[in-house]
Amino acid sequence: MRVEESTVLAHGAVWNMRRDRFDFAGAELEREYLDHTGAVSVLAIDDEDRVLLIKQYRHSTGHRLWEIPAGLMDVAGESGLAGAQRELAEEVDLQAEHWHLLLDVFLAPGSSTEAMRIFVARGLSPVEHDYVRSEEEAELHPQWVPLDAAVDAVLDGRMQNTVTANAVLAAAAARARGWRTLRDPELPWSGRDAVRGELSH
C-alpha cells in the first residue's frame, strides 16, 4: 500500500482529522480518519488480587465510566512504559516495582490510528509528584475491586470502557494461565507506527 497524498482536514487541540489517498490492490482509495498520538493504560493489581479502577466523565459518551488509569502518548520521545509510569503517578499517586505488557490493541481501526498499550503493574506504593489534576481528572476517585468482580461487571454490562474491558478480561485469562502470557514491557511497539502526523501540541 502506497500513500499518494495525505491531507490534514482539521487541526484539533490533541489530535487531527486526516484524509489519505492511496493505492490498494490496483485501485485508488480515499479514507478519512483520526490521526491519534497513541495512548497507554495501566491495570494496577495489589497483593489481594484487586484492580484499581477510577470513574471518569467522558463527554463524547455523556457518561462517567469505570476505567483504569490511562493517558495520551503526548510527551515527545517518551516510551510506552515511561508513559504508563507517568500516568499511574499522575492519576492515582502510585508507582510500581513490577511492570509487564498485557495487551496491544487498536481501539477503532476503521476510523482512527489510536494504538493502545496496556500494562500490568504490581508491587505498588505511594509516590509524590508535582502534577495537578484538573478538568475531568479533578474528579477521579480510585476504587479497588476484586479482579473477578471486575470481570462480572464487564460481562453484565456495568463496565463499558473498551480498554478496561479488554484489560480485565485479558488479566483474568492471563491469571488462569499462571501469568505466563505477560510480556516484556519494553518490547517494540509497532502499532504506534500507524500515527501519520506530528504531535499537535
Side-chain angles (χ1 to χ4, degrees):
M1 190 275 295
R2 184 176 71 256
V3 175
E4 301 292 345
E5 183 180 11
S6 187
T7 305
V8 176
L9 302 177
H11 290 274
V14 179
W15 43 68
N16 299 327
M17 180 63 69
R18 185 176 290 272
R19 175 186 292 137
D20 282 358
R21 182 169 55 83
F22 60 98
D23 291 330
F24 184 80
E28 184 175 275
L29 304 179
E30 277 193 356
R31 295 291 183 268
E32 296 170 358
Y33 58 90
L34 190 70
D35 197 6
H36 198 283
T37 63
V40 290
S41 59
V42 184
L43 187 70
I45 306 178
D46 70 5
D47 294 337
E48 299 176 41
D49 222 20
R50 299 180 304 172
V51 298
L52 184 59
L53 301 177
I54 53 180
K55 205 164 198 178
Q56 183 167 358
Y57 175 68
R58 295 298 186 180
H59 185 68
S60 59
T61 69
H63 286 78
R64 285 178 168 81
L65 302 175
W66 285 109
E67 304 182 354
I68 58 177
L72 297 172
M73 290 295 298
D74 56 0
V75 176
E78 186 177 59
S79 70
L81 177 58
Q85 292 168 334
R86 173 176 53 79
E87 291 295 339
L88 186 65
E90 290 177 354
E91 294 199 351
V92 292
D93 308 319
L94 291 176
Q95 61 187 350
E97 184 177 358
H98 307 295
W99 289 86
H100 292 92
L101 174 57
L102 179 64
L103 286 177
D104 282 330
V105 293
F106 288 109
L107 294 190
S111 59
S112 171
T113 65
E114 183 174 6
M116 171 69 75
R117 177 158 272 195
I118 305 173
F119 296 87
V120 168
R122 288 186 176 274
L124 304 165
S125 61
V127 65
E128 294 184 4
H129 56 85
D130 56 8
Y131 181 77
V132 178
R133 290 188 284 271
S134 62
E135 301 176 345
E136 292 93 339
E137 289 186 346
E139 293 189 357
L140 299 184
H141 299 290
Q143 181 171 331
W144 289 98
V145 177
L147 178 57
D148 288 335
V151 169
D152 291 341
V154 171
L155 296 178
D156 68 19
R158 287 178 289 125
M159 194 179 299
Q160 299 180 19
N161 175 277
T162 302
V163 173
T164 304
N166 272 278
V168 164
L169 297 178
R175 181 184 60 183
R177 291 163 173 77
W179 300 105
R180 293 187 303 274
T181 59
L182 296 181
R183 291 172 283 154
D184 182 344
E186 298 189 88
L187 284 174
W189 188 4
S190 61
R192 283 207 72 217
D193 294 342
V195 177
R196 305 316 202 262
E198 300 296 324
L199 296 179
S200 57
H201 67 286

